[in-house]
Structures are given as C-alpha cells and as structure tokens.
C-alpha cells in the first residue's frame, strides 16, 4: 500500500514537470481590456455591416505592404502590426 502511494506521488510529480515543459496554449482570442474595435476601424457603434467593411478596406489600403515598401524596415513592421490590429477588429465586428 505504501509503495502504491509513493508510486502515485512520484507519477504526479513527473506529470507536473512534463506538463510545465510542454508549450502552453495561446491565450483566448478576446480583446485586451480597453481595446475598442470600432475606434480601430473609425466607425461608430451599431454601424451597418457595409460601413464596417468599407472602413476595413480603407484602413487596409493605408497600411498595405506595397504602399509602405519604400519607408524602411521599422515603418514596414509598424504597418504590419497595424494591419494585424485592423484585421482583428474587423473579425471581431463581423462576428457580432
């Protein structure tokens, strides 16, 4: 009986170590507190789907890689981050 308890305790300890070494799942897709997808796209709350799509396309045009190709690496990276944020805002508003 004591051997079984020791074996279970050891197995639990090994399992915890192995689990801590595995890659952790990504955090939930929810937006961080204070993040406003309407402000990112420049539309008001309750805007129709057509207005959201139009604003999304206009914002994406501003930061398109072809438009920022000659601005340098730092600005290209910022433009990429901005397009990711715009896409995320559009995805969130489109699913509502």
């Amino acid at each position: 009986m004591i051997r079984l308890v020791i074996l279970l305790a050891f197995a639990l300890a090994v399992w915890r170590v192995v689990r801590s070494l595995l890659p952790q799942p990504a955090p939930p897709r929810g937006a961080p507190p204070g993040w406003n997808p309407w402000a990112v796209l420049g539309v008001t709350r309750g805007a129709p789907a057509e207005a959201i799509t139009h604003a999304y396309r206009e914002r994406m045009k501003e930061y398109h890689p072809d438009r920022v190709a000659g601005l340098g690496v730092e600005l290209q990276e910022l433009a990429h981050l901005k397009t990711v944020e715009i896409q995320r805002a559009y995805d969130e508003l489109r699913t509502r």
Side-chain angles (χ1 to χ4, degrees), residues 34-52:
W35 187 70
N36 185 354
W38 291 278
V40 172
L41 293 179
V43 295
T44 59
R45 284 184 184 259
E50 296 83 22
I52 292 172

Side-chain angles (χ1 to χ4, degrees), residues 46-94:
E50 296 83 22
I52 292 172
T53 302
H54 179 73
Y56 162 74
R57 289 180 180 162
E58 290 299 315
R59 297 291 181 271
M60 289 299 276
K61 284 180 192 176
E62 293 175 18
Y63 298 101
H64 192 274
D66 291 341
R67 286 216 165 164
V68 296
L71 298 179
V73 177
E74 294 86 10
L75 291 177
Q76 288 175 357
E77 290 174 6
L78 289 174
H80 172 72
L81 293 175
K82 188 68 174 174
T83 57
V84 168
E85 182 182 25
I86 293 167
Q87 182 66 49
R88 185 170 156 202
Y90 179 66
D91 289 342
E92 185 172 324
L93 292 179
R94 187 175 50 167

Side-chain angles (χ1 to χ4, degrees), residues 6-42:
I6 292 172
L7 180 63
L8 288 175
F10 179 73
L12 180 62
V14 169
W15 178 72
R16 286 182 179 170
V17 168
V18 169
R19 193 176 77 179
S20 70
L21 296 176
L22 293 175
Q24 300 299 317
R29 198 178 137 213
W35 187 70
N36 185 354
W38 291 278
V40 172
L41 293 179

